Amino acid sequence: MENLLSTQEQMKSGKLKLPDLAKTYLDVIKSKNPEINAFIAYDEESVLKQAAEIQKKIDAGKAGQLAGAVVGVKDVISEKGKKLTCSSNILENFEAVYNATVVNKLHGEDALLIGRLNMDEFAMGSSTENSIYGPTKNPHDTSKVPGGSSGGSAAAVAAGMCNVSLGSDTGGSIRQPASYCGVVGLKPTYSRVSRYGLVAFASSFDCIGPFSNSVEDAALMLQHISGHDPMDNSSADVPVENYSKAIQNDSGKLKIGVPEEYFGEGLDDEIRTLINEQLKGLEKDGAELVPINLPHSKYGIATYYILATAEASSNLARYDGVRYGHRADFKEIEKELGKERESIEKEIKVAVAAGKEEALERLAKVDSPLVRLYKKSRTEGFGKEVKRRILLGTYVLSAGYYDAYYAKAQKVRRLIKQDFENAFDKVDVIVSPTAPTTAFDLGSNQDDPVQMYLNDIYTTTANLAGICGISVPAGTHSNGLPVGIQFLGNSFRESDILRAGRRIEQLNG
């Protein structure tokens, strides 16, 4: 697996040409994708044409900072003129009409966008099995999941189909698949990277971030996709640090918070041992390990799945079969309604003749054609997991349950954020496992949504608090699968987690 920075060095020296590199990656996609199923779309002719144009800039010494980056893009990020399906039937034929801000930034720095990547439908899932394109498989063992919802983005980098990719993280959807696939996955601070052009799952949680083969590559990518965007009213107007320089100038003593809540029951014993070995290595390297407490972390999963589903039910209301996206057959609906009304009207005539009028009530309850279109379009368009989350989100927002669930969860969210604020008064970063287990078997958790949700136990709190996080490979389990270590940093302190991740890479050679 080639790192972006080493690729760029070869291109600068003339040893490597971008069209040749693109052709190599396209050949790997053709060879491996039929089994891995990470890419759902790519246009070989267009990719090679773009590569030739960027090579001209490289030869003239006028190329951008990301020339040599061959980037896969998760199918939740808008690219003008390309299908934007979110792996859902309801958007199966929808074509994006504008570029996301991150896509424009990548083009502006001469990155080569090679194709669209598989995902869980509308980014809802932890395994990339909820997709109209079928499941993505883990390149390390194709009987296992790659994680989710950005499993296609993680698997593409791990399988050598591109050297970097973009994913989105709402509750761990970059970090968890990065751990399962043995690559680097970075979730920026909320509002650090523009969400303009990212199809919304939960608007106060969603973040776009990079996958890569090294922390240095993640730093370079983050540097060029970050920054204030007037098109996104949640975008932070905070200067972007030179992350590449920051990790090279790592001379300070790193204070690492070790929360006891993240190393207790439910964590695989071998993963606990691996993480502890990494921490001993960091301590020998000069880092200071500081025991800390995050007392409200135990409420993280419940709080997240109340608030995120509430936002999802609101955001997905726009897919109604009228404005855009999948529309049920209206003529069929009219036929069905006509038959229903005809049947009930016959009942009414019989009932009225007998002096009974109950059938009138039944007729009044028959849907209008528009309501039936809305119901049928959404029923046909959304998959099981998306429907589950819409139902849960609508429930917690309903009049009788808003205060009991949604309002209370917002208060707990504030307490979780305060826990992190208190911890970051004492430490630079917080360490934890990225996931409680290694990648699980395909299909094993499909009928157990609670077990599936528990895979996010170490990642959701960062999204609740809006802070940054990174997963870095920490070793290999005895079952042969990768294990990730996670570092969490304070808001807009991505340089701290990048430095911590870089030290893990150096320790592991």
Side-chain angles (χ1 to χ4, degrees), residues 1-2 7 16-32 42 44 47-48 51 70 112 114 159-163:
M1 293 183 290
E2 194 73 38
T7 296
L16 181 64
K17 299 291 183 182
L18 186 57
D20 296 331
L21 180 66
K23 184 71 168 60
T24 299
Y25 281 125
L26 287 165
D27 287 344
V28 175
I29 292 170
K30 289 175 193 173
S31 169
K32 293 186 177 181
Y42 62 94
E44 183 171 4
V47 168
L48 293 174
V70 181
L112 177 63
I114 195 169
M161 298 180 186
C162 53
N163 52 22

Side-chain angles (χ1 to χ4, degrees), residues 167-323:
S168 66
D169 193 311
T170 307
S173 291
I174 288 175
R175 290 159 288 153
Q176 184 246 33
S179 176
Y180 283 2
C181 290
V183 296
V184 174
L186 193 156
K187 172 221 172 298
T189 303
Y190 180 78
S191 76
R192 173 77 290 181
V193 176
S194 172
R195 290 187 299 115
Y196 181 71
L198 173 70
V199 178
F201 162 12
S203 304
S204 73
F205 294 82
D206 297 339
C207 301
I208 296 173
F211 289 88
S212 64
N213 289 310
S214 73
V215 172
E216 286 180 307
D217 290 355
L220 181 64
M221 283 289 289
L222 181 66
Q223 192 173 318
H224 292 291
I225 63 172
S226 295
H228 179 248
D229 179 16
M231 299 299 288
D232 173 9
N233 62 12
S234 66
S235 176
D237 193 3
V238 177
V240 179
E241 192 175 347
N242 186 326
Y243 299 119
S244 297
K245 188 179 286 186
I247 60 173
Q248 298 302 330
N249 298 335
D250 179 17
S251 55
K253 186 175 183 180
L254 199 63
K255 284 189 175 182
I256 301 174
V258 185
E260 64 176 71
E261 293 84 359
Y262 287 3
F263 290 88
E265 189 181 348
L267 176 62
D268 178 279
D269 288 336
E270 202 170 321
I271 292 177
R272 183 185 290 108
T273 301
L274 269 170
I275 301 296
N276 284 331
E277 286 173 359
Q278 300 290 322
L279 293 179
K280 287 175 187 174
L282 288 171
E283 199 170 23
K284 286 180 183 176
D285 190 46
E288 180 184 351
L289 302 184
V290 182
I292 61 167
N293 290 103
L294 299 170
H296 295 97
S297 291
K298 59 186 176 182
Y299 306 115
I301 289 285
T303 303
Y304 170 78
Y305 278 100
I306 288 170
L307 297 179
T309 57
E311 293 187 24
S313 73
S314 176
N315 279 325
L316 269 61
R318 69 192 72 179
Y319 305 103
D320 55 12
V322 177
R323 286 169 280 196

